[in-house]
């Protein structure tokens, strides 16, 4: 699955890991994150993320 990088702070959302702080289970694709999900580091919204190879 594709990783996505926050263009504000550099946090990388890795679907293999998920986001435990927001209750997002491992295996959750970025596209399947809730619309109100925000970056756990800086609070940026999903539209501030871009696909990355990191």
């Amino acid at each position: 699955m594709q990783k996505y990088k926050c263009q504000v702070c550099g946090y990388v959302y890795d679907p293999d890991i998920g986001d435990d702080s927001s209750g997002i289970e491992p295996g959750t694709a970025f596209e399947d994150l809730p619309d109100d999900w925000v970056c756990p580091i800086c609070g940026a919204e999903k539209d501030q993320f871009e696909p990355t190879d990191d």
Side-chain angles (χ1 to χ4, degrees):
M1 281 189 271
Q2 179 70 55
K3 295 179 184 178
Y4 281 76
K5 186 173 187 176
C6 178
Q7 299 303 297
V8 176
C9 72
Y11 167 80
V12 175
Y13 174 76
D14 184 342
D16 291 333
I17 297 172
D19 177 15
D20 189 51
S21 66
S22 297
I24 305 298
E25 296 288 328
T28 303
F30 185 82
E31 296 82 5
D32 295 333
L33 292 172
D35 290 338
D36 61 351
W37 180 84
V38 295
C39 176
I41 303 300
C42 72
E45 296 185 0
K46 283 177 67 176
D47 64 357
Q48 296 295 311
F49 282 73
E50 294 184 0
T52 184
D53 293 328
D54 290 353

